[in-house]
Amino acid sequence: MTITEPRPDAEHREGDTSIRPFTAAFPDSDLEDLRRRIHETRWPDREIVSDASQGVQLDVVKKLARHWEQGHDWRAAEARLNELPQFVTAIDGVDIHFIHVRSQHPGALPMIVTHGWPGSIIEQLKIVGPLTDPTAHGASAEDAFDLVIPSLPGHGFSGKPSETGWDPIRIARAWIELMQRLGYDRYVAQGGDWGNAVTEQMALLEPAGLVGIHTNMPATVPDSIQAALTNGDAAPEDLSAEERGAWDQLAFFYAHGLAYAQEMGNRPQTLYGIADSPVGLAAWMLDHDARSYDLIARVFDGASEGLTPDDILDNVTLYWLTNTAVSSARLYWESKLPFFAPKGVKLPVAVSVFPDEIYAAPRSWATQAYPNLIHFNRLERGGHFAAWEQPELFSQEMRAAFRSLR
C-alpha cells in the first residue's frame, strides 16, 4: 500500500492536523502471495450435517476460493476506490483514512457514514453517486449530500491503534474532530453495526453542528426484553406481532450467532489463523449472521442478489491486504457498551428497518428508545449490509430521513 507521502509515525506528528491525499496501491507481489495462499489452502473435512448449523459450509467456501484465485480482480476494486477523493489525517495519534466527496449542488447536507464489522468502506461505494449527485439518479438537487466515509481505526486503510482505549466513544470523538477539521459546522451522521454504536455515541456527546442521526441497526431492545432473553425465559405474552418477530430474531441470534463476537470480545489476539490464511479469514467474515450468510451462499451458487461474488471478495481482500483481521477484532474487546440497549439519545433520530437485519426493530421499541424519532420506515427487502445490498433503497431512505433537518 502506498500514499502520496510517507506515513509518519505517531510520535512525529503530535499536533499535526494536516489532511493528506491518499491513493491505494498494493504491489503485485501482495496479490501473487494471496493467490498462492488460496491455492495452497489445507481444507478441513466436510461438515457432517446438511445445513449450516456447524458453521460455514465447505462447498460455499470452495466456490468462493475458486473465484478468488481465478476470477476476482482486485485492481478493478482499487481503481473504483481511487476514483474517489481519499485522504488521511492524524487524530488522537492514529491515522484516519476517509473518502470525502463534495456534491456539486449548493446547500448539500454533510453526512458522515460509518461502517461496521465485517464491513468496510467498500460497503458505501454504491451510495456515493446517488447521494452526492441525486439529479443523475432520479432525485432532487435539494436532497444532495456531501459524504465523509471514514475507515474505523484498525480497519482498512486507517492506522492501527498502538494503545488501548479505542472504543466507540473514543472513535465518536475522533469523528467529531474530523468533521470540524473539514470545516463542517452543521451535519448529520449515519451508521449500522459498529457504525451505529459510534453514531449514537456522537449523538450522546451532542457536539455543536451535529443535528441528527440515522441508523439501520438501532439499539432499541427494552431492559425487560433483554433480561428475559439473557435468562432464557419464554417470550412475554403481551408482545405485539411486530415485537414477537423481533424477539424470535434476537433469541436465534443469541443462541446461534454470537460465537464470532464472543471470541473477538474475549481473545482477539488469538485469531492468528485468520491473519495467516485468506480462506480462513473469508470463512470467519462470512459467519456474521445467518441471513447474510444465506445470501452470500446463494450468490456463490449463481443467484442474482443485492451482492455479487466480486462485491464480497472486494471486502475480504481489503481486510487481507491491509492485514487488519486482528486489529479490527480488537474493537469487540475494547467496547463495553451493551450493543442493543437504548442509550438515551436525545437528538433527532431516523430509523430504517431492513427485514433481514439481525433483528427488525419494532416501531414501539424505537419510539421508546428515541424520544425525538423523526423518521421510521420498514423496508421490504435488505439485510445487515443495507447500503451495500440495497443502495437504491438505502439512498431513498437517507433523503427521506433527513429532509426535515435541511
Side-chain angles (χ1 to χ4, degrees):
M1 177 182 64
T2 61
I3 55 178
T4 55
E5 59 182 276
R7 189 198 305 247
D9 294 333
E11 59 265 29
H12 298 310
R13 62 173 183 262
E14 185 175 353
D16 178 13
T17 61
S18 64
I19 296 174
R20 308 176 323 263
F22 176 94
T23 300
F26 292 94
D28 288 340
S29 58
D30 284 2
L31 300 178
E32 292 165 3
D33 176 69
L34 170 59
R35 286 189 289 270
R36 177 187 62 80
R37 288 171 181 262
I38 296 169
H39 184 75
E40 295 178 357
T41 299
R42 183 185 183 189
W43 295 101
D45 297 334
R46 185 180 306 277
E47 65 277 359
I48 55 175
V49 293
S50 60
D51 55 24
S53 59
Q54 291 186 335
V56 178
Q57 294 153 296
L58 184 64
D59 283 349
V60 174
V61 183
K62 283 195 168 183
K63 291 172 184 174
L64 178 151
R66 187 181 311 115
H67 186 75
W68 204 359
E69 181 186 359
Q70 301 174 6
H72 178 249
D73 182 5
W74 167 255
R75 293 301 186 203
E78 199 173 69
R80 285 193 297 274
L81 283 168
N82 289 333
E83 287 172 356
L84 299 173
Q86 298 177 80
F87 305 91
V88 171
T89 190
I91 301 177
D92 198 7
V94 173
D95 274 333
I96 300 299
H97 164 268
F98 60 99
I99 296 168
H100 185 202
V101 182
R102 294 184 186 272
S103 175
Q104 63 180 342
H105 298 293
L109 180 62
M111 178 166 65
I112 183 168
V113 182
T114 309
H115 67 84
W117 187 95
S120 69
I121 56 170
I122 297 291
E123 285 183 72
Q124 279 82 40
L125 295 184
K126 297 176 186 177
I127 63 171
V128 171
L131 293 181
T132 62
D133 190 11
T135 57
H137 294 82
S140 168
E142 287 73 28
D143 288 327
F145 291 87
D146 285 353
L147 287 185
V148 179
I149 306 172
S151 298
L152 289 167
H155 296 63
F157 298 118
S158 280
K160 302 172 184 178
S162 59
E163 61 180 11
T164 61
W166 276 93
D167 62 1
I169 301 168
R170 189 167 177 177
I171 297 171
R173 293 194 181 102
W175 277 198
I176 292 166
E177 169 63 24
L178 176 60
M179 296 303 279
Q180 291 174 343
R181 197 170 292 183
L182 293 174
Y184 290 125
D185 57 11
R186 190 176 189 278
Y187 62 94
V188 295
Q190 195 285 326
D193 195 82
W194 283 120
N196 174 69
V198 171
T199 299
E200 289 201 359
Q201 291 304 312
M202 292 177 70
L204 291 171
L205 292 167
E206 297 187 3
L210 180 61
V211 297
I213 68 171
H214 174 276
T215 174
N216 54 287
M217 188 176 167
T220 69
V221 179
D223 290 346
S224 59
I225 297 295
Q226 182 62 59
L229 287 163
T230 302
N231 295 333
D233 297 341
E237 294 182 358
D238 60 349
L239 295 181
S240 68
E242 192 179 41
E243 292 167 346
R244 180 57 194 254
W247 168 281
D248 291 342
Q249 288 176 312
L250 286 164
F252 178 87
F253 181 67
Y254 288 151
H256 304 288
L258 276 172
Y260 74 94
Q262 290 167 338
E263 179 64 18
M264 293 193 291
N266 290 313
R267 310 287 285 180
Q269 194 64 32
T270 300
L271 296 170
Y272 293 94
I274 63 173
D276 186 61
S277 166
V279 168
L281 173 63
W284 184 259
M285 293 171 68
L286 261 58
D287 203 16
H288 176 268
D289 68 278
R291 292 173 188 83
S292 294
Y293 170 73
D294 287 345
L295 181 150
I296 291 169
R298 295 194 301 270
V299 166
F300 281 102
D301 205 28
S304 177
E305 300 276 359
L307 299 179
T308 68
D310 285 329
D311 285 335
I312 296 156
L313 289 170
D314 289 347
N315 187 55
V316 181
T317 304
L318 178 62
Y319 272 79
W320 176 261
L321 293 174
T322 56
N323 192 20
T324 48
V326 171
S327 59
S328 63
R330 294 191 189 115
L331 183 53
Y332 286 82
W333 185 89
E334 291 283 4
S335 181
K336 304 299 184 288
L337 298 172
F339 214 81
F340 294 130
K343 307 298 188 300
V345 175
K346 297 177 182 177
L347 286 180
V349 178
V351 173
S352 298
V353 179
F354 291 85
D356 290 331
E357 181 55 273
I358 290 174
Y359 85 103
R363 181 186 290 269
S364 58
W365 294 0
T367 302
Q368 294 173 25
Y370 306 117
N372 199 352
L373 186 67
I374 59 171
H375 172 86
F376 182 93
N377 190 31
R378 296 179 67 91
L379 286 301
E380 293 184 359
R381 62 185 183 277
H384 185 72
F385 303 101
W388 203 20
E389 299 171 32
Q390 302 294 336
E392 182 176 350
L393 289 178
F394 188 90
S395 298
Q396 291 171 3
E397 281 296 285
M398 294 307 99
R399 297 171 192 136
F402 292 122
R403 196 162 285 144
S404 66
L405 298 180
R406 290 182 179 269

